[in-house]
Amino acid sequence: MARPLSRRTLLRTTALAATATAVSAAAAGRATAAPGAPGPSTNAVGAAATAFTTVAPSAWTVRPFGLEEVTLGPGVFADKRRLMLDHARGYDVHRLLQVFRANAGLSAGGAVAPGGWEGLDGEANGNLRGHYTGHFLTMLAQAYRSTGERVFADRIGTVVGALAEVREALRRDPAVLSVEGRFGRAAEQVRGSHRYVDLPAAVLDGSPALTLSAWVRPAHGAAWARVLDFGDDTTRYLYLAARNANGVPRFAVTTSGPGGEQGLDGTAPLPLDRWSHLAVTLDGTAGTLYVDGTAVARDTALTLTPAALGPLAHHWLGRSHFAGDPVFAGAFEEVDVFSRALTGAEITELAGRRAVDASTGRGDLASYAFDETSGGTFADASGRGLDATLRRTWGGPSHPGFLAAYPETQFIELESMTGSDYTRVWAPYYTAHKILRGLLDAYLATGDDRALDLASGLCDWMHARLSALPAATLQRMWGLFSSGEFGGVVEAVCDLHTLTGKAEHLALARLFDLDRLIDACAADTDVLDGLHANQHIPVFTGLVRLHDETGEERYLTAAKNFWHMVVPHRTYGIGGTSSGEFWRARGVIAGTIGATTAETCCAYNMLKLSRTLFFHEQDPAYMDHYERALYNQVLGSKQDRPDAEKPLVTYFVGLAPGHVRDYTPKQGTTCCEGTGLESATKYQDSVYFAKADASALYVNLYSPSELTWAARGVTVTQTTRFPEEQGSTLTLGGGPAAFTLLLRVPSWATAGFRVTVNGRAVPGTPAPGGYFGVFRTWRAGDTVRVLVPFRLRVERALDDPTLQTLFLGPVNLVARHPSTELLRCALYGNAGLSGDLLPSLTPVAGKPLHHTLDGVGFAPFAEGTEEPTHAYFRRSEPRVVFGTSDSGVANPARGDGVTLLDEIWAGAPFGSRSALGTRVRATVADWVAAGLLGGADGDRVVRTARNASYAP
């Protein structure tokens, strides 16, 4: 077994490896286009799953830079990140820890869980609680690595320290949480801790008469939480509940289940967070219920006595025999059981003082003062020696590495589930992944060994659970929608394995294989229709990492094929995917437009997968998609205003006409807000990559930033207002160093791509959708200027070419209009010979990238506003128009929706009016021959085109 490396060793090892593989500087020379600049490659190499991986597999041919190596410059990314960093600095992390501390029976110090999905009262019974804490840890780690601000490291330390305390509390027998009581000390039963007090079996001792007396301080108003429940099962029992279905106290006794209960009900609810005295007296046929010394219910016709129940198996304080009932949340003090029915005066006396100080004395059957301040037992002062024991309803973890914000029961129940029910089990391994990822990122950011120990222990526990299950059980589990979702756990486990070297961790990663999905995708068989999108995208990032660790090609092949099933076949213009969280049939875009399209988590995970695949195969298509989704959906998912309580990130991005983005979905703390925390603190993670041998530097994104490339002793400062500016300037520092600068040529860059070095043009013809290489010995002060002219273009929905979305370079321009009907737009009227549609729009003065068309405003999708937007519009070009000349001829369309004007302008750019005229004549002739256009109308179209004037 390999010993975990310390952070210092990791960083030193990485630096030495980078130095050893660096290529010697070549002789200085004039900049030239590098021969063989990379296009798509089939070379499969190892990949880092996140920016935090510190140890790179030796097979990697491309490596990312750490967040600390790339500094964001002024611009839209820095502005969005600043909002999230302010949120990270100010949010009370103890609120996130409340659910973990509750699960372990620890005091939360008054902290209140955030709400939404992150709390005991969240959706589906709070069954996903704990996930958001993992996201928050990752955000803090990214923020610390990006800024170096100590506040983020301190907050990481607080969270990690608390989680260490939680795990220690979970792995030992429960211990009393002593709090101030009505008279002295009391025992707090934290809501969510699932703890109760177990009394010995002889408590009632067959007594025909009885008094139950208890001081309680309820902390929650849940119905049917028991103060006590003595019984065998759900047939023979007596109980005292703090609240019944009507919210008032209830005592009941039965030998035939709920239908045979003989009961006493109070008249008013017990106040929350205040001490109340409850008492019940039973004497023959008479029973009385008291609240704070006053009789509130009496029945003189009871037929059941405690003796009629006979010997009972369980005597519980705080727990019900009905599994669906909540465990009592609050505090106990002074619980006494008497073998006689006390008088009203005696009950009134007990309602004002300790039993030991009252005329009654302590209960003769059992008496618990709850004065203990440590340990897990409570002394019985009745003289009968019936000491009670503090227990958990679920016992305890099956392995000491267990760490969660809820009991292990969700994991256990999943193993026998055959259908989905997220109110019972909601993705426990998904939640485990978020916690694991956060701990790994915390360790790599701060070197806190506690975080690595917690992460390693969590995986040890998962391996212990899952390795004992039959393969068929695992396949069934992972195939369940939602309940079996496990997120990116395989990726995180593989990253942990690079740190620990433990064979069990690699074995664990393989236990999450969903073979039917892997095999189908490896065979390039598209089976995505109907699958839950975000449940499966991170699966494939994990498979890529599993390939890194095992060398099994099936994993990598499946991931690459899967990516191409999503892009472009299930991808909207903004770069997002999914409809109502699910995928529909391949190629159906227009048919899925609605209010619940493009779940934000999906965009986050597709970015991660694209990035990871690029380390294996430097296909520029991966970075084209990365740019599309980052500059549009991901940026636009963050609202442009501060908020101390919420991260203000979208869940769905509705693409229906007039949709208004919801930046606080489901009251906050959803999966997408969690990934939003991460996205907004790692915008720079893919701006630059380097070849593993340091022979080349990839510039993937044109973003204001500064790279420190220690392996080559250089810095690269990128100065730009992109995308407001159509280009970028890169200035080299340090050196000299010989390497190839690989500049990405976006696939949309069809209007030209020019590069100068120190003012001199670099020869070569950059091809859109590739990288343009410039090799030289770089020296301090060298300046590279990249010009990338934008064109306005439309992208058509795959299943309906008349449904279109508008782009200016990489920027998706969306209409802002309150209508909930599709807007109809015509764009060819002022099209230039270049084919650029921009002359049809009117720029808005003083607002870069803002335009109007027929009085409707168009703005970048990335702007996080709450204005109603139209990402898609209906293209309507009713007549054949060239420039300002209208032919008067209706614009005909083929059966696939492509119009005559579409066909003509598909030939752009045109070098001259003559070239355009040639295209018009040829296209018209084809359409006339096909019977799509009359001959006379065709002649009018040709004449109009010949006489029209055009923009360049």
Side-chain angles (χ1 to χ4, degrees), residues 179-509:
V179 297
E180 184 178 353
R182 174 68 174 77
F183 304 105
R185 303 305 297 172
E188 180 79 14
Q189 303 294 78
V190 177
R191 182 167 179 252
S193 66
H194 298 271
R195 302 199 310 177
Y196 68 102
V197 180
D198 189 15
L199 280 54
V203 171
L204 295 182
D205 199 28
S207 177
L210 188 70
T211 295
L212 305 170
S213 170
W215 279 98
V216 293
R217 188 184 65 197
H220 191 259
W224 300 118
R226 303 295 201 261
V227 174
L228 58 84
D229 193 335
F230 298 168
D232 278 345
D233 45 34
T234 58
T235 301
R236 300 169 59 246
Y237 54 80
L238 65 80
Y239 68 78
L240 176 60
R243 294 191 178 205
N244 64 6
N246 296 318
V248 298
R250 174 174 173 80
F251 169 81
V253 58
T254 181
T255 57
S256 56
E261 285 186 3
Q262 298 179 12
L264 302 165
D265 293 308
T267 56
L270 297 184
L272 300 181
D273 300 316
R274 279 175 44 193
W275 286 103
S276 297
H277 183 259
L278 287 176
V280 176
T281 61
L282 297 174
D283 186 8
T285 60
T288 307
L289 173 65
Y290 296 85
V291 177
D292 291 329
T294 300
V296 296
R298 181 171 175 79
D299 189 339
T300 59
L302 298 179
T303 61
L304 295 175
T305 68
L309 297 176
L312 299 174
H314 309 127
H315 298 75
W316 296 332
L317 303 182
R319 180 179 181 182
S320 169
H321 280 88
F322 290 83
D325 289 343
V327 177
F328 176 80
F332 289 111
E333 185 180 13
E334 290 282 321
V335 173
D336 288 276
V337 184
F338 297 86
S339 61
R340 64 184 179 90
L342 300 184
T343 66
E346 289 175 316
I347 296 296
T348 300
E349 186 181 8
L350 283 178
R353 66 186 64 184
R354 281 176 172 266
V356 70
D357 299 323
S359 62
T360 62
R362 294 189 180 277
D364 61 317
L365 291 180
S367 178
Y368 306 98
F370 295 103
D371 287 332
E372 291 80 1
T373 59
S374 63
T377 59
F378 302 103
D380 171 30
S382 70
R384 301 178 66 206
L386 300 180
D387 293 350
T389 305
L390 186 62
R391 303 192 190 281
R392 299 187 188 97
T393 59
W394 57 283
S398 61
H399 184 282
F402 175 74
L403 177 63
Y406 43 69
E408 196 175 353
T409 48
Q410 274 211 55
F411 299 91
I412 296 169
E413 190 170 359
L414 175 62
E415 295 167 9
S416 60
M417 289 181 69
T418 56
S420 296
D421 182 354
Y422 83 141
T423 63
R424 291 169 50 207
V425 176
W426 189 7
Y429 285 97
Y430 171 95
T431 307
H433 161 246
K434 304 310 172 191
I435 298 167
L436 173 62
R437 181 77 262 169
L439 290 169
L440 280 173
D441 293 341
Y443 171 70
L444 292 168
T446 67
D448 190 331
D449 289 333
R450 297 174 301 175
L452 182 60
D453 182 60
L454 287 167
S456 184
L458 183 55
C459 287
D460 291 343
W461 164 77
M462 282 192 278
H463 181 261
R465 272 225 82 80
L466 296 177
S467 63
L469 298 177
T473 300
L474 294 173
Q475 294 295 318
R476 173 173 46 77
M477 286 165 56
W478 308 144
L480 289 175
F481 159 60
S482 191
S483 298
E485 183 174 356
F486 54 77
V489 71
V490 175
E491 166 203 358
V493 173
C494 288
D495 288 352
L496 177 68
H497 177 251
T498 67
L499 299 173
T500 66
K502 292 179 68 172
E504 294 89 343
H505 293 162
L506 183 55
L508 169 63

Side-chain angles (χ1 to χ4, degrees), residues 74-77 79 631 702 704 720-728 785 788 790 808 810-811 846-851 860 863:
V76 62
F77 290 112
D79 292 343
Y631 276 87
Y702 299 107
T720 182
R721 298 189 316 280
F722 190 92
E724 294 179 7
E725 176 184 354
Q726 299 181 20
S728 185
R785 178 65 181 156
V788 197
F790 293 178
L808 182 58
V811 178
K847 300 187 73 174
L849 301 175
H850 284 242
H851 300 78
E863 293 184 356

Side-chain angles (χ1 to χ4, degrees), residues 8 47 87 94 157 201 243 293 301 322 460 483 519 547 587 602 651 698 739 823 838 864 867 886:
R8 178 177 298 175
H87 177 74
H94 291 284
R243 294 191 178 205
F322 290 83
D460 291 343
S483 298
D519 291 342
H547 165 269
C602 295
Y651 190 109
Y698 287 85
F739 59 88
L823 301 178
L838 190 59
E867 298 188 49
D886 188 340

Side-chain angles (χ1 to χ4, degrees), residues 416-739:
S416 60
M417 289 181 69
T418 56
S420 296
D421 182 354
Y422 83 141
T423 63
R424 291 169 50 207
V425 176
W426 189 7
Y429 285 97
Y430 171 95
T431 307
H433 161 246
K434 304 310 172 191
I435 298 167
L436 173 62
R437 181 77 262 169
L439 290 169
L440 280 173
D441 293 341
Y443 171 70
L444 292 168
T446 67
D448 190 331
D449 289 333
R450 297 174 301 175
L452 182 60
D453 182 60
L454 287 167
S456 184
L458 183 55
C459 287
D460 291 343
W461 164 77
M462 282 192 278
H463 181 261
R465 272 225 82 80
L466 296 177
S467 63
L469 298 177
T473 300
L474 294 173
Q475 294 295 318
R476 173 173 46 77
M477 286 165 56
W478 308 144
L480 289 175
F481 159 60
S482 191
S483 298
E485 183 174 356
F486 54 77
V489 71
V490 175
E491 166 203 358
V493 173
C494 288
D495 288 352
L496 177 68
H497 177 251
T498 67
L499 299 173
T500 66
K502 292 179 68 172
E504 294 89 343
H505 293 162
L506 183 55
L508 169 63
R510 303 192 75 151
L511 291 174
F512 289 94
D513 280 7
L514 181 55
D515 288 333
R516 68 174 183 272
L517 178 65
I518 298 171
D519 291 342
C521 289
D524 206 15
T525 302
D526 191 329
V527 294
L528 303 190
D529 187 8
L531 290 185
H532 185 221
N534 198 54
Q535 181 168 346
H536 294 92
I537 300 171
V539 169
F540 289 92
T541 306
L543 293 180
V544 179
R545 287 291 290 116
L546 197 50
H547 165 269
D548 298 341
E549 300 299 310
T550 66
E552 190 167 327
E553 287 297 325
R554 164 176 170 260
Y555 294 138
L556 181 60
T557 300
K560 289 194 290 188
N561 290 342
F562 165 81
W563 190 91
H564 288 285
M565 294 171 191
V566 178
V567 182
H569 304 290
R570 294 177 172 89
T571 300
Y572 301 109
I574 59 172
T577 186
S578 80
S579 175
E581 297 196 11
F582 289 82
W583 281 308
R584 307 306 175 190
R586 184 185 180 103
V588 178
I589 298 297
T592 61
I593 296 295
T596 58
T597 41
E599 184 185 357
T600 305
C601 274
C602 295
Y604 165 91
N605 279 309
M606 282 301 295
L607 288 186
K608 183 174 283 191
L609 178 59
S610 301
R611 181 177 189 270
T612 304
L613 286 171
F614 191 88
F615 302 142
H616 287 260
E617 178 182 43
Q618 286 75 62
D619 184 347
Y622 296 137
M623 283 299 115
D624 272 341
H625 176 76
Y626 198 100
E627 178 189 67
R628 175 190 294 269
L630 179 65
Y631 276 87
N632 295 292
Q633 176 162 358
V634 172
L635 273 180
S637 70
K638 174 73 185 83
Q639 191 172 17
D640 296 331
R641 70 175 180 85
D643 192 286
E645 289 297 304
K646 306 292 183 187
L648 300 182
V649 176
T650 58
Y651 190 109
F652 295 116
V653 176
L655 299 177
H659 179 79
V660 176
R661 289 176 220 169
D662 181 1
Y663 295 98
T664 53
K666 298 177 179 283
Q667 294 77 52
T669 66
T670 63
C671 53
C672 292
E673 286 162 300
T675 54
L677 297 173
E678 299 182 33
S679 289
T681 48
K682 67 179 181 80
Y683 290 131
Q684 75 270 38
D685 76 341
S686 296
V687 176
Y688 309 98
F689 296 150
K691 284 201 170 182
D693 62 3
S695 65
L697 177 69
Y698 287 85
V699 180
N700 301 311
L701 301 172
Y702 299 107
S703 174
S705 55
E706 181 174 331
L707 166 69
T708 300
W709 191 11
R712 300 313 308 266
V714 300
T715 61
V716 178
T717 302
Q718 191 174 170
T719 306
T720 182
R721 298 189 316 280
F722 190 92
E724 294 179 7
E725 176 184 354
Q726 299 181 20
S728 185
T729 300
L730 292 84
T731 304
L732 279 291
F739 59 88

